[in-house]
Amino acid sequence: MTAKSPSRSMFTRPFARRNDVDSFDTQYPKGPLGLTTLSEPSAPAIADLVFVHGLGGGSRSTWMQSSDASLFWPQEWLPTDAGFRDVRIHSFGYNSNWEKESVLNIHDFARALLGCLSDCPTIPRGSTTPLVFIGHSMGGLVIKKAYILAQQFQEFESIAERVRAILFLATPHRGSDLAALLTRILHVAHGARPFVQDLHRNSLATQSINDEFSHNCQKLQLFSFYETLPINYIIGKGLVVDKDLAVLGYGNERTAYMHANHRDICKYADRKDPNYQTVRNALASVVDSLRSRTSLTQHDTGQLSLLSTALDMSDAVEDDFIGIESRRVSGTCEWLMEKESFQRWRDCSSEAKIYWVSAKPASGKTVLSGYIIKYLRGLDEACGFYFFDSGNKAKATISSWLRSMAWQMAVKHSEVLMTVLEVYKRDDQLAKADYRTIWRKLFLDGIMKVKLDRPQYWVVDALDECKSDMELVPLLFKFSEMSNVRFVVTSRSRCEAYGRTISTKKTVISEGISADDTRSDILKYLNENIEFLPAVDGGGHQNTILKIVEKSAGCFLWVKLILEELRHVHTSAEVHQVLEEVPSDMDELYTRILNSMSKAPYGKALAKAILTWTVCSARPLTTQELYFALQLDIKDSIDRIEKSITASCGQLVYIDSRSCVHMVHQTARDFLLQSSMDSEFRIDKKAGHKRLLMTCLQYLCGNEMNAPRHRKLSVQNIVRPRCAFSAYACSALHEHIRYASSTDDDLFFALIKFLNSSNILSWIEHLVQIPDLTCIIQTGRSLRNYLQRRSRSISPIGKDIATLDSWTTDLVRLVAKFGKTMSASPASIFHLIPPFCPPESAPRKQFAASPRGITVVGLSATSWDDCLSTIVRPSEQLTVVACCDTYFAVGSSNGKFAVYNEMTCQEIQELHHSEPVRMLQFGQTGGVIASSGMKTIRLWDVESWQQLWQQDIPRDCLSLCFTDEDRLLLGALRNNQFMIWDCASGSLTDSADWTENDDGQQNHAYRRPISAAICVESSLLAVVYRGQDILIWDIESNSPYDTYAKETGSSRNPTAISTIRAFVTGGLVFSADPSATLLAASYSDGDLVLFDTTEGIVKEKTLANAQILASSPNGRTLAAADSAGKIQIFDFETLRLLHCISADDYSTKALTFSRDNSRLLDIRGSECRVWDPTALLRPDEVDENSDTVSVFTLPQETMIEPSDDITLIGALACHENGEVLFCGKSDGGIYLYYSNSGAKAEKLISHASNVPIVSLYFDNQSSVLSSVDSSSRVMLHKLILQENVWRASGPSFDHRVGVAIDQVLSNKGATQVLVSSNSKDVLYSIPEDGSSTFTSTEIVEYRPHRWANHPLDPDQLVFMSNERIHLYEWKTLRRLTASDSISLEDNMLSQLSIRFLMSCGQGRHFAATFSESSASRYRPRKLLLWSTSDFFVQSEPTKLPSLYRILADQVRYVIGTYRQRLVFLDSNGWVCSTDVGMPNADRYTRHFFIPIDWLSAGANLMIDMTCNGDIVFVKRHEIAVIKRGLETSEQGPSATGARSPIRGAQRPSLASSRSSGSDDMFLRPGLERKRPSSPVGTNKALEDIFS
């Protein structure tokens, strides 16, 4: 459809107009046709109200009681009502005159309505203003059909997205019997009236509309008002639309009766008319809910989208409140506002900030919470909320509460929004973090520092349904103490039950709900539903109501269920029988309901299935999810799922407004799970979870989850649609594994079938696309727990057990090793990831055996390695390590510290502190880093790496800590002084001596502490002196706080006796969890002791022999290192051992965690190791597992090879035959490797012992291998192959140059060697007779430059700097070009220095990389290419433009050339290639990726390529040969081995790295390191649109 112009004439909008009050349409006296705008607000509208009349009505006449224009209430009353001050009001008219012949039907009217809305001149083009429809009679059907069509046609899609609510006034949803009568009467007249036919009871039109509408209206607010008074019509009197026809019966529908007939239900005499008030209030509640969301529109759309991504939330949060408030009967819950205690809390006249409401189950606490929210918002207070739900795991955690809290505050306050986005900028994985990390980073360091101008009110409902409610309560108290937030909390338990009895008198107002409080509410509820009560005795309904109220004992759920019973009785005796027999105890009532269900002749199997799925599901399932699940489960088809649920177990299960299926109450769930309950509907928890798990596995092993044979990796590909159940089957697998019986063989073999199938890869791909990598980890851990439980009763031997055991580890390691890659390219799991897994892993064994796929050989490791990277600085002794979100820094005794990228472990910068670095500390925001030595402390800016200030200090720092958003730096010094520096100026703002007591005397004045730890949250400093107890000092009051002894804890304890038998060795650390008050200390007798500083007690104790301690940033994990190099990882709160890393080399000098808690870094000698053990990937909450054997995962142990036994590879070269490789190592030897296996064969050449080889170059023509060691010694050896054995002849050249060598280059035949350094270039001529004499020629080029052989003329050399190109003669090193003959055109090169030069494309092009001349050699590079044909001797000055500029920022490392293609490593770690000789060389193919731990495995990247296209990668002391990698692309393996089609690619910029793949030169290692870009933002996942 052609897009219409935004500027349209009157003729293109025939049905859209503004209303003219004085006009009168003589052709349509009932009102104009089309859309008429009745009222427009002066401010931007928050909603569009659209009135649609019914059969025989009009756009004006339907809505006014008489011809009096003042009674046209949509135009005359609503615009002057304060509740509608900011809404736009329209009325739609269409020709529904049944007296005249017509060819139109409801479908036609609906299309007309959509067209008018689309073209309305008063609704801005592209408007997102919410739409609210009000339809009378047939008008409601027109609205429903319009909504259905809007979702089906793209041109009206935006209208469908805007619809928020529909109010139906006497709408015949299933037709009307009167329509059939009207048809018979009209049959006398000639002519058709299709729209009347559509109104017949259960007509095809109404059935079709209802079927489609029920699947699409879950997110709408629906109101159905039905008539109760008869009306006179042609041959009788009665209701036009009976109640059963006027009510939909949906979970998100709110119904109400009107004391009016069909005609007058939408016409009112005045504003006080009760019927008008009913409709008006319903409309006002909708508008009010929309108005509460208007704060969202005040922010930029991009910011809101970023906010939703940052917190993994959306504006659906408000739907919880809307749904709960819609259940409340008008006038109920108001009694609470009249209580004096509530008023004191509301008005802030009480010190208590927490108003705690407790009541027994099912007494209406949630609905009461909804009314409190509405009440506070009505007072214009900033009120947020959260409804905990134990039946929905996503709504039962502290982290989800915190994220919702932050989201709601952010959309209301711009300052909070900017704070949240700033935190997200520093940590884009915050939404996936545990609640402690969210609390610390988002609230303590962010939101709580924002000064808001008024109190914030928060309603927290059902606190007892939070999985970690005991941890949540202290958090609430801390929040209320530290901020201006006032809480309403509802719970079954009183506040005192949570152990806060000491402080509750001042901080909490506790209020219990009694039966007397809710009595009036129950009366109102019964009167609202009075039509369901049979009036069969003299007292009418009132006697029945009083009996129900008396027996209810304040339980709303009991009242609701008794109403369901009374619907089915008709006599006074039956009413009396129900009221007498139905017990008031809920358990007895549930038993009665189940007994009734047992007597049903049909549907019991379906009812049991529905109850089992609703009780045992990990979250509430939607009706569509349950529909597909049940059909798989019971292996039968189901007609209408909503009808089946209502008919089978409607009293125990209900469908909410979002079409999610719930138990009627948590008490019903608990009752069905009782083991003592005797009913066929009782649910055994193990059996229930097995049933759900078997169904999930059945789906996951089915055709919909089949892995494709050839799968494109591009995220742009359309994902094959799957049924609605797929999302649950994938994400809930681990939940049911955790609870299922481990001895059930059927379940075991079903799991093995899934693990052995390629469908597991599709499952992983789906979870990555969502994205939910945590679910993959949790599944691995659930499988581990399941395997351990099974091993207790069944022998853990056999192939199937081995498969299961392997996947328990593999799933966790796949996320740790390949998480970033999978997130960027989910389909890489099929072809690219399995080959890079260890040989003994299940993915490698099962999915990497394709003869056409990638193969990796050469590495010795057969299983996963916990060591992600080892950074070696051979000539240095490392001293300290520190981390922030983006970087980590390593300090050295030589006065320098190096900064590395936290993800890739590549060096970014080197800074000089000028004395041995003793302490490093990043700021809280990561914007600064402090370094400290013996005499000075310095502060550095992380962005510019410039020093901000320097201050002298009297002694070295024992502990450093930033606070107040990095405005202050705190330091504890060895001279017993505590100092505070202003980070802006560096000035000392305060200092104190912690040895002084209250009398000014010094207890430890002449002693020097050995360790100190600072806790900013508690304002405490812990200090250790050798042989003494731990001294605790109060920072705020500058006074001693306490002393802690190993055996007794606080000295204030009555039983404390000072008996020093062991002393602290120096290991001392506070838990970083802001809500925890834990201090860990390591003692000389080997004990690790945990103190609780609030209670002053020894909490836990274990044997660890620790010397160094470190707390994870979230405070959940404690790492301890001993003097033998062993590292133990504990749960901080319990000291339960989680993991152990054993090493026999150097002892650990320093220890720290990464900011995301997932990695551990240690310092040993000259090495810094980065560990990522799976034990650090800990779930957010502790999941209950009461009905299975409690199994703790045994601590795993990692053994690492001593670094003294490793000989690192420092240089690499490939032979032209592609069969052998040459590697120079740190022991001074050059070794031969075979490319077919990656195995080392023999040692060929030796330089001086333990003098590392730094460069190798092999000349193919002469078979001469050139080598350079770190002492600048250059040697040339001729290699000879005799009888399949390689030998090296004596050196034809052996010379120590005496300066640091940057580059060595030989001519073809290796008769001449060019040695280039920063100060000079020397050409050595080697005699052909083999004599040891040689001649040299020297030139001086001061500019950074590189040399290369001219590919078209072997007698010439190419010289390139950042400005010019020259040609030189090989024999004499004479320059052939004029001084200004060939200049480079690119202006940007004037600020850069050349780093690398090579020929490519069979010599037709030159490729060069450049970087900033003054920058570190690790900064990003630019790749530029030139045509070789332009490199010739000429007399006229020429400027050369570079080619293929799009590649400039894409290349990280140039590998070499293969089949006329330039092969390189791109900025995201993918090996790519492009044909630089083709016109579209700016488009390239991504073949495969290099694992991130490979890229961070050593100091220098070394990658080369054989003539067969095999990629050779140096990984520390080994080489990995990647075969057929260039025959694979994003489309999967190529069937013929031909290169795959090239596709365009735009990638974020990263630096290029040094290449050893050139066939004409080699560089000194380390010249091509780079600074990586930020991780690729996480992309948004695709929606599943299966209907």
Side-chain angles (χ1 to χ4, degrees), residues 870 1124 1142-1146 1164 1167 1169 1171 1199-1208 1516-1517:
T870 301
S1142 297
D1144 296 327
D1145 56 357
Y1146 301 100
R1164 302 166 186 261
E1167 295 183 353
R1169 286 182 173 139
W1171 304 91
M1199 299 295 296
I1200 58 176
E1201 185 178 356
S1203 58
D1204 291 342
D1205 298 337
I1206 295 176
T1207 305
L1208 299 178
R1516 301 199 73 206
H1517 61 292

Side-chain angles (χ1 to χ4, degrees), residues 433-701:
D434 61 274
Y435 83 83
R436 296 171 180 85
T437 300
I438 295 174
W439 169 249
R440 176 175 57 82
K441 289 188 176 182
L442 196 56
F443 285 89
L444 285 181
D445 296 342
I447 294 175
M448 294 177 69
K449 295 182 178 180
V450 176
K451 304 299 182 184
L452 300 176
D453 56 358
R454 55 177 177 160
Q456 305 294 300
Y457 291 86
W458 271 87
V459 178
V460 181
D461 180 64
L463 179 139
D464 53 297
E465 295 195 35
C466 172
K467 279 199 169 184
S468 304
D469 55 335
M470 296 300 292
E471 298 175 43
L472 174 60
V473 172
L475 213 59
L476 282 175
F477 277 84
K478 182 175 280 290
F479 202 108
S480 65
E481 292 168 4
M482 299 176 64
S483 66
N484 193 15
V485 177
R486 307 182 76 79
F487 289 94
V488 173
V489 176
T490 70
S491 173
R492 299 184 192 182
S493 305
R494 295 181 63 85
C495 179
E496 289 77 9
Y498 288 92
R500 300 286 300 203
T501 52
I502 297 176
S503 59
T504 52
K505 292 182 179 179
K506 290 185 177 181
T507 59
V508 178
I509 296 176
S510 187
E511 186 72 53
I513 299 178
S514 66
D516 291 337
D517 290 326
T518 58
R519 180 183 178 88
S520 61
D521 287 351
I522 292 176
L523 282 170
K524 290 185 177 69
Y525 177 77
L526 290 171
N527 284 317
E528 179 72 14
N529 294 275
I530 198 169
E531 71 276 7
F532 299 126
L533 297 175
V536 292
D537 55 20
H541 293 118
Q542 291 306 311
N543 289 337
T544 304
I545 289 175
L546 292 175
K547 289 179 181 178
I548 294 173
V549 172
E550 181 180 353
K551 202 169 184 178
S552 68
C555 181
F556 270 95
L557 178 60
W558 186 91
V559 175
K560 180 181 178 180
L561 294 176
I562 204 71
L563 281 179
E564 292 292 329
E565 293 266 356
L566 291 174
R567 283 189 179 196
H568 306 292
V569 301
H570 306 283
T571 67
S572 176
E574 291 173 338
V575 170
H576 179 75
Q577 181 181 356
V578 168
L579 293 177
E580 290 297 322
E581 293 183 358
V582 173
S584 57
D585 179 78
M586 288 305 302
D587 283 359
E588 294 179 7
L589 178 56
Y590 289 143
T591 301
R592 175 186 170 90
I593 293 172
L594 294 181
N595 290 338
S596 175
M597 291 170 59
S598 297
K599 298 175 183 178
Y602 306 107
K604 287 192 285 186
L606 178 61
K608 178 64 178 288
I610 292 172
L611 289 175
T612 302
W613 277 91
T614 309
V615 167
C616 296
S617 59
R619 60 166 173 81
L621 293 155
T622 66
T623 53
Q624 284 301 300
E625 288 176 323
L626 186 58
Y627 172 74
F628 286 102
L630 289 173
Q631 291 187 119
L632 283 173
D633 183 5
I634 66 176
K635 297 176 175 57
D636 199 357
S637 58
I638 301 174
D639 179 20
R640 291 185 57 190
I641 184 63
E642 295 88 352
K643 181 179 179 181
S644 300
I645 293 172
T646 304
S648 300
C649 38
Q651 285 186 280
L652 296 177
V653 176
Y654 76 95
I655 304 172
D656 70 8
S657 60
R658 300 179 191 173
S659 291
C660 291
V661 184
H662 302 263
M663 293 302 298
V664 70
H665 196 268
Q666 179 64 29
T667 55
R669 181 192 305 273
D670 297 339
F671 177 76
L672 289 173
L673 290 171
Q674 288 180 7
S675 59
S676 59
M677 197 260 287
D678 182 20
S679 171
E680 63 182 302
F681 295 103
R682 185 183 78 83
I683 297 172
D684 178 79
K685 194 170 186 179
K686 285 186 180 180
H689 281 284
K690 175 193 172 181
R691 182 171 186 168
L692 269 64
L693 178 56
M694 292 293 283
T695 304
C696 291
L697 289 172
Q698 180 184 348
Y699 174 79
L700 294 176
C701 291

Side-chain angles (χ1 to χ4, degrees), residues 1189-1204:
V1189 179
S1190 180
V1191 178
F1192 287 116
T1193 302
L1194 296 176
Q1196 298 180 349
E1197 185 165 353
T1198 299
M1199 299 295 296
I1200 58 176
E1201 185 178 356
S1203 58
D1204 291 342

Side-chain angles (χ1 to χ4, degrees), residues 991-1004:
S991 66
D993 189 327
W994 64 68
T995 62
E996 291 185 0
N997 58 22
D998 295 337
D999 301 325
Q1001 299 176 351
Q1002 296 180 317
N1003 297 324
H1004 299 280

Side-chain angles (χ1 to χ4, degrees), residues 1433-1445:
V1433 179
Q1434 54 191 354
S1435 58
E1436 297 296 328
T1438 303
K1439 285 192 174 183
L1440 292 185
S1442 60
L1443 309 173
Y1444 318 128
R1445 293 296 299 275

